[in-house]
Amino acid sequence: GENVEQHPSTLSVQEGDSAVIKCTYSDSASNYFPWYKQELGKRPQLIIDIRSNVGEKKDQRIAVTLNKTAKHFSLHITETQPEDSAVYFCAAGGLDTGRRALTFGSGTRLQVQP
Amino acid sequence: NAGVTQTPKFQVLKTGQSMTLQCAQDMNHNSMYWYRQDPGMGLRLIYYSASEGTTDKGEVPNGYNVSRLNKREFSLRLESAAPSQTSVYFCASTPPGETQYFGPGTRLLVL
């Protein structure tokens, strides 16, 4: 089955700096790679996703890059703000109905220092 | 639309007790999932259901049973709770070709 590894487990940056979180996956059949943000005591919320036919996707201060050959993908947050502080999860899987759609990384706790 | 709802929000059980966690979605999604989240472990899949009437085991199914009652509802049952099942449980649903939408979670403490 799929195995997703996520690094680092914790990340502390100064407000305004950039943050990068990296994930690797094992199953070459995976074709969908979402990123979730989870604030304390709340449910995971999708912030951005990428599909295997795309190498990079941006949404304002957030971007995701995908290297299918190397089986890794990364989340980039620019101009970080205190409200970006949360736990971020990467995931990998297929979009086929009926498959075990997503395998999650273990999470990265991001702290943005004002 | 309420999205994905879960009940209860919080539950305390004694070892050996049983309970059922309820999940419902009003988005007409075929696929539904149960995950557990432990500190530092991310989300691990317990069971999933690709459609009404079908269920399959995920990564950590031992100690759990599920029931896909209809298209809207997917319940998770603990027949004999153990302290190792203390966790936060999330239900999720998925439309074809899209990402998962999570419920608010159920915090379970087994003493």
Side-chain angles (χ1 to χ4, degrees), chain B residues 61-109:
Chain B
N62 291 344
Y64 305 95
N65 285 301
V66 290
S67 179
R68 183 74 182 269
L69 303 170
N70 47 56
K71 193 170 187 179
R72 289 188 65 249
E73 299 172 289
F74 188 36
S75 62
L76 179 71
R77 183 160 179 84
L78 287 71
E79 292 290 352
S80 180
S84 61
Q85 294 178 304
T86 293
S87 189
V88 180
Y89 291 85
F90 287 100
C91 177
S93 69
T94 306
E98 296 189 23
T99 195
Q100 295 184 4
Y101 294 87
F102 286 88
T106 294
R107 294 183 176 274
L108 177 65
L109 175 62

Side-chain angles (χ1 to χ4, degrees), chain A residues 2 4 28-29 32 35 39 41 51 64 70 73 75 90 92-93 99 105-106 111 113-114:
Chain A
E2 177 65 276
V4 177
S28 57
Y32 178 63
W35 286 88
E39 297 176 341
R51 304 182 187 217
V64 57
F73 56 112
L75 177 71
C90 64
R99 285 188 59 191
S106 55
Q111 187 164 9
Q113 308 284 354

Side-chain angles (χ1 to χ4, degrees), chain A residues 32 36 38 43 51 98 100, chain B residues 37 48 50 97 99-100 102-103:
Chain A
Y32 178 63
Y36 287 83
Q38 187 178 29
R43 74 189 81 186
R51 304 182 187 217
R100 280 178 272 181
Chain B
Q37 184 176 33
Y48 70 104
T99 195
Q100 295 184 4
F102 286 88

Side-chain angles (χ1 to χ4, degrees), chain B residues 42-63:
Chain B
L43 292 107
R44 292 184 293 170
L45 184 67
I46 305 172
Y47 270 93
Y48 70 104
S49 170
S51 62
E52 182 180 349
T54 67
T55 61
D56 284 286
K57 296 178 180 180
E59 180 185 354
V60 288
N62 291 344

Side-chain angles (χ1 to χ4, degrees), chain A residues 15 46 50-51 69-70 80 86 98 107:
Chain A
E15 183 176 359
L46 178 73
I50 192 167
R51 304 182 187 217
T69 302
T80 53

Side-chain angles (χ1 to χ4, degrees), chain A residues 37 61 77-88 110 112:
Chain A
K37 176 183 180 182
R61 298 186 296 108
I77 306 174
T78 58
E79 301 173 23
T80 53
Q81 301 167 3
E83 53 264 38
D84 294 330
S85 296
V87 179
Y88 291 81
L110 174 64
V112 180

Side-chain angles (χ1 to χ4, degrees), chain A residues 21-23 25 33-35 65-66 71-75 90-92:
Chain A
I21 303 170
K22 298 182 179 182
C23 289
Y25 64 99
F33 308 92
W35 286 88
T65 58
L66 171 65
K71 294 196 186 72
H72 66 71
F73 56 112
S74 301
L75 177 71
C90 64

